[in-house]
Amino acid sequence: MKKVFAIPPFRYRDALNFKMQPYDAWLRIGGSVSNEHYPWRGFRRLAFKYNIPTFWNSKHIAELRFVQPISINFDTFPGYIYNEIIPVIWDCWPSIFQKTCQWLKKHHVQTAVFTASQTADCMKKQFPDMDILAITEGIDVDRFDEGLVLTERIIALYEIGSVQRGMFRKKYPKDYKSLFNKPEEWSIRTHEEYKRVLQNSQLTVIFPRSITEPEAAQGVETLTQRYWECMLSRILMIGHAPQELTELIGYNPVIEMDINHGLEQVESILSDISNPKYQELVNHNRETALRMGSWDIRMKQVMEWLRGIGYDV
């Protein structure tokens, strides 16, 4: 029986790394961890680019690694050379699906976790003998405050990343900008600045990548951390909720947008922001996120699943 140790994701200086959140949750719930052994700075590019074969596989240790396919060589280095790797994988989009499959096969991966259920289903077809678990993406619920009530917030509409806003911005390239009123001095360089903007914003436009970038997503729709961030910050969301989210929590926390009348919808909501139904919705969203969004819940699920298939956790 192999002992599972989680390895901390690489952090460049003090830069934020979202993959630290599930690692921290694993640590909080009592999971075993081991030290990182990432290469010296001069060799990091080589570790990122080149994929060394697995020379042997320890009979006693399995490493739980938090990875993205685009950086999977680096995210698992050097453990994949001599230990079994149990990857927890984000962002396995169709464009890099086969590359990910090749890596999993080359390093004899027997157990894997995916944060997109559709990707997990595809992987099960590719690797029928592999133990595969799908979990929804979570969040560190303590990192986001509830903020002000909607009527006291000073930012009407806030953009969160090109993926979320892209389709709406293209549809209304001129009128869209007129809705912003974020203070010029409110830059966003740190998590604290980002959190402050969220908790002072009334409304945001949010879509999954399957809608904003259909060529890249190729039908894969998945829950991302952005939805949890907005729910925890009590900001109204308009756009589309991924099915993973609505099935998980049992309702739709997003005001569904008719993109052909999206600008009218946004303006209507903002002009009626004092309507109690909007405050009730964001209050309910935060309560739901606190109860169901934590990475601790996902890591407990992973831990119990690993025990069930024969690992020492």
Side-chain angles (χ1 to χ4, degrees), residues 215-231:
E215 300 84 2
Q218 295 182 32
V220 175
E221 180 185 273
T222 188
L223 167 60
T224 61
Q225 182 175 306
R226 297 296 189 195
Y227 288 89
W228 293 127
E229 292 172 352
C230 293
M231 292 172 72

Side-chain angles (χ1 to χ4, degrees), residues 84-87 103-112 127 130:
E84 177 184 353
I85 300 296
I86 303 174
W103 192 95
L104 296 172
K105 184 176 181 179
K106 179 175 182 177
H107 297 291
H108 316 292
V109 173
Q110 297 298 310
T111 307
F127 300 97
M130 185 184 293

